Amino acid sequence: MAFSRALSALVLALPLLSVSALRTKRALCPDGVNSAVNQACCALFPVVADLTENLFDNECGDAAHGALRLVFHDAIGISPTLGGGGADGSIFTFSTTELTFHANIGIDDVLDQVGPFITKYADVLSPGDFIQLAGAVSLTQCPGAPRIPFVMGRPQPIAASPPGLVPEPFDNITSILQRFGEVGFSPAEVVAVVGGSHSVAGADDIVPNQQGVPFDQTPSLFDTQIFVDVLLRGTNFTDGQGAQQGESETAVAGTVRLQSDGLLARDPRTACTWQSFVNQQSQLSTAFGQGVTKLSLLGQTASKLVDCSEVIPKAIAFTGGAATLPPGQTLQDIQASCPTAAFPKLATQPGPATTVSPIPQATDS
Ligand code: HEM
């Protein structure tokens, strides 16, 4: 109870961290190029530039997706009963333990990419800060994604997360909602963080023999297409038994649907929120931004952290179109699951059915 009361207080404090609420008196940084309201933040400008150029290659691709996933897998490692430090960087510092957790499949590849940057800037940022900074910067690579706050000062992690705290794609919705619930997330917040993040995501490891299999038709756009694609008739990814290489089990060829996403979209506790995001870009962006900010503070004392949101680059405005149905599909193909609201009308893409291309891997040249 005390834990969730503390979290509620923290969430009430979140608007104080709002990027738009920054004080405005900026002074030149020692580099003579950048300026900051808080001079303690000056050291982060070169880190952000390095990440943007050399980790993300200025795109919403595999490396940006991996950095966002890392935010979650580090932060969720906390429980009021089992302990753990939350967004503390333990997934990096205690990787020999945490990478043995089944739910962290593929995080080894992400750490292979992000880890050298964490080490390079170890005198500037703790691992916990670095992971959250990389996640916030990754979002600024993805058109439509929010610009979220970044606060600095997370202490070094002291231990590995206990096992079993990261939700898995074959967990049922009761257990997923319970897991998020014990760290203060409502079912609506779960839908926002899971659906929003999976709009810029794909599977590198869980589909046998395939990498970069997108979760929706537009994996390099933070948009609401995933909320349509996941509701189309078609099957969830099971264990690979149903899919041959190159085949899709979903209604959208080339994509894969996590069972947990498919169930969240249809469960009575979450279906109406899921549907409510269809073509509501700014509603999704705001709810997702608040949810990820909340994740970034799990296990941390917000009042002890320094607001360096000013180093986060501008968001890229959403220029994509409305969410649509794939060629040949109609609203009859949507498994609308919210009994209290009609499913929004959607246009069908013209032309013959297409296959969504895989997401190029960060290691591809
Ligand atoms: C019920 C909760 C969740 C489950 C079960 C889940 C599960 C998964 C799985 C199985 C993958 C594919 C892993 C692979 O094969 O490489 C994945 C990818 C991803 N997830 Fe989640 N996830 C959840 C919530 C979240 C949240 C809250 C975030 C971020 C805030 C997130 C961000 C991502 C991203 C960005 C990817 C793509 C990574 C890449 O393309 O390299 N996920 N998720």
Side-chain angles (χ1 to χ4, degrees):
M1 272 317 267
F3 189 82
S4 52
R5 262 201 308 276
L7 266 164
S8 310
L10 180 151
V11 173
L12 285 175
L14 283 180
L16 300 175
L17 300 174
S18 148
V19 177
S20 57
L22 288 173
R23 287 170 288 132
T24 49
K25 271 208 160 181
R26 303 175 74 90
L28 202 60
C29 289
D31 65 6
V33 178
N34 293 294
S35 57
V37 175
N38 185 341
Q39 292 289 297
C41 305
C42 285
L44 302 186
F45 284 109
V47 185
V48 170
D50 196 9
L51 282 174
T52 306
E53 290 285 322
N54 302 317
L55 178 60
F56 302 138
D57 279 335
N58 294 294
E59 61 179 31
C60 182
D62 186 47
H65 302 170
L68 179 58
R69 186 171 178 231
L70 190 59
V71 161
F72 174 54
H73 286 241
D74 190 37
I76 199 72
I78 184 168
S79 146
T81 50
L82 299 172
D88 63 351
S90 63
I91 202 161
F92 169 77
T93 306
F94 299 99
S95 59
T96 45
T97 302
E98 294 197 27
L99 291 185
T100 64
F101 304 161
H102 186 259
N104 285 336
I105 182 171
I107 294 292
D108 53 341
D109 293 333
V110 178
L111 284 178
D112 282 349
Q113 295 160 24
V114 180
F117 290 86
I118 301 181
T119 307
K120 181 174 174 185
Y121 294 108
D123 57 340
V124 181
L125 289 162
S126 66
D129 281 345
F130 196 96
I131 288 170
Q132 298 309 322
L133 177 68
V137 176
S138 79
L139 290 173
T140 68
Q141 307 299 300
C142 298
R147 178 178 183 241
I148 61 169
F150 169 70
V151 288
M152 175 171 80
R154 291 168 188 77
Q156 292 291 328
I158 51 172
S161 157
L165 299 183
V166 184
E168 300 218 49
F170 298 115
D171 290 348
N172 62 46
I173 297 304
T174 298
S175 97
I176 289 174
L177 294 181
Q178 244 162 20
R179 178 73 275 273
F180 274 97
E182 64 173 14
V183 292
F185 282 69
S186 68
E189 289 174 316
V190 174
V191 172
V193 287
V194 177
S197 63
H198 286 177
S199 90
V200 281
D204 292 338
D205 293 274
I206 59 159
V207 183
N209 307 317
Q210 294 186 59
Q211 288 194 301
V213 192
F215 289 157
D216 75 351
Q217 299 178 61
T218 53
S220 50
L221 282 183
F222 182 92
D223 63 0
T224 72
Q225 187 65 45
I226 189 150
F227 295 93
V228 174
D229 293 353
V230 170
L231 272 176
L232 287 165
R233 287 180 206 290
T235 52
N236 302 325
F237 176 71
T238 48
D239 55 2
Q241 300 299 310
Q244 302 302 312
Q245 187 165 3
E247 273 182 13
S248 170
E249 293 181 317
T250 66
V252 186
T255 65
V256 67
R257 179 187 303 164
L258 296 180
Q259 177 176 296
S260 44
D261 288 354
L263 295 179
L264 270 178
R266 290 164 178 78
D267 189 278
R269 291 162 286 185
T270 46
C272 289
T273 310
W274 186 279
Q275 174 178 310
S276 76
F277 286 125
V278 173
N279 276 331
Q280 298 298 325
Q281 179 71 28
S282 66
Q283 186 184 316
L284 173 66
S285 179
T286 302
F288 169 79
Q290 287 170 347
V292 178
T293 304
K294 193 163 162 176
L295 279 174
S296 77
L297 293 168
L298 286 178
Q300 303 298 322
T301 310
S303 59
K304 290 193 181 157
L305 304 177
V306 176
D307 187 354
C308 283
S309 303
E310 56 188 320
V311 307
I312 304 299
K314 286 198 179 81
I316 304 177
F318 182 67
T319 50
T324 49
L325 293 160
Q329 307 223 14
T330 69
L331 281 184
Q332 300 299 313
D333 296 303
I334 291 278
Q335 294 180 315
S337 306
C338 173
T340 55
F343 197 85
K345 292 204 178 359
L346 299 176
T348 296
Q349 296 155 28
T354 51
T355 299
V356 182
S357 305
I359 303 162
Q361 294 301 284
T363 45
D364 294 351
S365 52

